[in-house]
Amino acid sequence: MNTIQPTSDRFDDQVIIPSMKNSILNSQMDLFGGQENLIALEPAMPGVYFDAPEIDLDYDIAIVCMSGGKDSFAALKYLLDRGFPPSKIELWHHLVDGNEGSTLMDWAFIDDYCVKLSKAIGIPLYFSWLKHGFEGEMLKNSSKSHEHIVETPDGLIELPRNGVKVGTRLKFPQQAASLQTRWCSSALKIDVGRRGITSQDRFVGKRVLFITGERREESGNRAKYNQLEPHAGDTLRKSKNPRKPRHIDAWRPVLHLREEEVWQILADWELVPPVPYRLGWNRSSCATCVFNSDRIWATIGEYLPDRLEAISEYERQFGTAISRKGLTVAERAKLVKPIEIDDKEALLQATSKEYTLPIFLPNGEKWKMPAGAFGTESSGAN
Ligand code: SF4
């Protein structure tokens, strides 16, 4: 495989390393003879940087949100490659379907895949979830959202939702960038991650780096994301004298990378491409993501028909299709041909809860770009 040219040099004259700000300021003041040349380097908001591909990694703990997709792997490897000690890293995986038996949205094997990955690399993994997951939240009917469950080094904690209002959903999240109407990302991931931080006193008095794997190339929405900013669980930048002082930075280390650079990171790491990409998906998010294209629905209908039927059943029940054009997933699946899947091993894995394939390439095996790489079929939040 050819080596892909990195793009990091284009940041040389745009980016500062936040905690090195003072030394850069001092040395550049010497060079240019005055502070007026340097005003552009100061962030407009404290701790917020639009571009921050390289930062001083002076943190006590790094939490890497591990979805099991290529970008979260790239984010983890990016951190490791910069010398951050693995002993200070933990992986967090949010269970989209919860842990109470629902199987509506996520890939069957994804939880076990994360467990086996954690064992393979020797970095601890903690699950967290909204009780009853996506399905439970979608079926809210004049009722309140369920509790959050957070796995900690001392066991599970269940967090009540005292502040939430009674409400009704009874429809799928909308295909929108807004997290208000596309409620799944916030209810099942962002809120759960925030409570994972605010509910654990082990983060008090610590500097914590909270890492996610979004990339600007994925969408116009993500193109606007900051690369480094205070996390919602940070208290030190919100108040002068917080009761529980926590310095929590949210860092998106691969925000600036192109897809080919991400694949190069996985290839160099000899990580077997995750199953969804081997099946032809370009993203590894929920298998039955509301953003799936017609062709992905056709592929699910062809190879995983029960999963298409489960979504169809809810569209019938709600009297509303996921698509804003009003076509149901079953109707959309009939419009186009499915992807032809020739990776039988990956297809077998797609229906099994236990992950049985290797995490890293077995000795002597060559890394292969998966069928879904560089695909244009939509599947996953943007
Ligand atoms: S992958 Fe799709 S369905 Fe799943 S949480 Fe994200 S946007 Fe929602």
Side-chain angles (χ1 to χ4, degrees):
M1 181 176 174
N2 293 332
T3 303
I4 293 159
Q5 281 300 108
T7 55
S8 48
D9 55 346
R10 74 191 148 96
F11 292 96
D12 282 355
D13 54 3
Q14 307 170 29
V15 176
I16 68 165
I17 301 172
S19 74
M20 289 176 65
K21 192 169 60 184
N22 290 338
S23 58
I24 291 174
L25 284 172
N26 290 338
S27 62
Q28 294 200 359
M29 278 169 73
D30 289 339
L31 279 175
F32 299 111
Q35 198 166 1
E36 65 277 12
N37 298 303
L38 303 166
I39 287 168
L41 291 176
E42 290 283 8
M45 308 262 289
V48 177
Y49 295 86
F50 186 71
D51 290 315
E54 302 293 340
I55 64 171
D56 182 356
L57 291 170
D58 176 22
Y59 291 90
D60 301 303
I61 301 166
I63 296 166
V64 178
C65 290
M66 174 48 65
S67 68
K70 66 182 187 311
D71 299 326
S72 49
F73 278 116
L76 171 62
K77 190 65 168 57
Y78 195 98
L79 178 70
L80 290 169
D81 285 351
R82 274 145 190 83
F84 195 80
S87 59
K88 291 185 182 181
I89 303 177
E90 46 192 75
L91 307 177
W92 284 17
H93 179 76
H94 307 308
L95 302 173
V96 170
D97 284 319
N99 200 18
E100 290 74 35
S102 174
T103 55
L104 188 68
M105 301 304 292
D106 222 342
W107 294 95
F109 55 82
I110 206 80
D111 307 349
D112 193 42
Y113 178 51
C114 291
V115 169
K116 293 201 166 132
L117 162 79
S118 153
K119 281 194 186 132
I121 60 177
I123 294 179
L125 167 75
Y126 298 105
F127 287 133
S128 46
W129 67 97
L130 171 65
K131 211 170 176 182
H132 302 288
F134 183 107
E135 203 170 1
E137 179 67 18
M138 183 171 71
L139 295 179
K140 208 163 74 173
N141 185 5
S142 300
S143 55
K144 285 188 173 184
S145 292
H146 291 283
E147 296 78 5
H148 291 129
I149 314 280
V150 174
E151 185 177 18
T152 76
D154 302 320
L156 292 179
I157 47 176
E158 182 162 324
L159 304 165
R161 311 289 302 279
N162 298 332
V164 293
K165 292 188 185 139
V166 169
T168 299
R169 291 209 188 272
L170 297 181
K171 56 182 160 210
F172 281 95
Q174 280 188 23
Q175 297 169 313
S178 158
L179 296 176
Q180 296 264 304
T181 49
R182 190 240 293 173
W183 48 262
C184 45
S185 300
S186 47
L188 304 162
K189 296 176 180 175
I190 299 167
D191 289 354
V192 176
R194 181 180 47 78
R195 288 206 88 191
I197 291 203
T198 56
S199 62
Q200 298 187 65
D201 281 351
R202 68 191 176 101
F203 299 125
V204 174
K206 294 280 174 19
R207 287 175 58 84
V208 179
L209 192 58
F210 190 88
I211 292 178
T212 49
E214 301 94 335
R215 286 185 306 112
R216 291 212 169 102
E217 194 188 56
E218 292 175 300
S219 71
N221 188 36
R222 291 187 174 189
K224 295 182 228 146
Y225 283 6
N226 292 317
Q227 195 156 18
L228 181 73
E229 59 192 354
H231 183 269
D234 179 278
T235 53
L236 282 174
R237 263 95 29 118
K238 273 190 203 142
S239 121
K240 275 199 179 143
N241 271 320
R243 202 168 51 85
K244 294 192 172 186
R246 282 187 302 258
H247 182 108
I248 321 277
D249 279 329
W251 189 37
R252 302 181 168 109
V254 297
L255 193 63
H256 59 294
L257 296 189
R258 298 192 315 264
E259 181 173 349
E260 55 264 44
E261 293 174 288
V262 166
W263 286 121
Q264 183 74 60
I265 291 173
L266 268 61
D268 291 345
W269 204 8
E270 302 197 338
L271 190 100
V272 175
V275 167
Y277 308 105
R278 293 174 58 177
L279 297 174
W281 270 243
N282 180 243
R283 303 275 297 276
S284 169
S285 33
C286 296
T288 49
C289 175
V290 293
F291 288 99
N292 280 351
S293 69
D294 296 350
R295 190 145 188 246
I296 295 289
W297 286 119
T299 310
I300 294 173
E302 176 76 13
Y303 297 100
L304 308 165
D306 294 354
R307 303 215 53 172
L308 183 87
E309 179 48 32
I311 300 292
S312 297
E313 175 53 35
Y314 275 125
E315 286 186 317
R316 282 193 289 273
Q317 196 176 310
F318 301 150
T320 315
I322 289 176
S323 165
R324 294 178 142 196
K325 292 184 184 148
L327 289 182
T328 65
V329 291
E331 288 165 337
R332 292 167 60 197
K334 288 191 190 128
L335 297 175
V336 285
K337 280 198 174 153
I339 296 167
E340 266 182 50
I341 298 177
D342 50 21
D343 189 334
K344 302 287 176 251
E345 198 181 55
L347 192 54
L348 193 65
Q349 181 62 74
T351 56
S352 165
K353 250 180 108 55
E354 189 188 353
Y355 184 80
T356 53
L357 299 177
I359 301 281
F360 289 99
L361 282 186
N363 268 347
E365 215 170 277
K366 267 189 96 184
W367 193 88
K368 262 195 353 213
M369 192 68 86
F374 308 108
T376 52
E377 294 299 330
S378 154
S379 56
N382 52 28

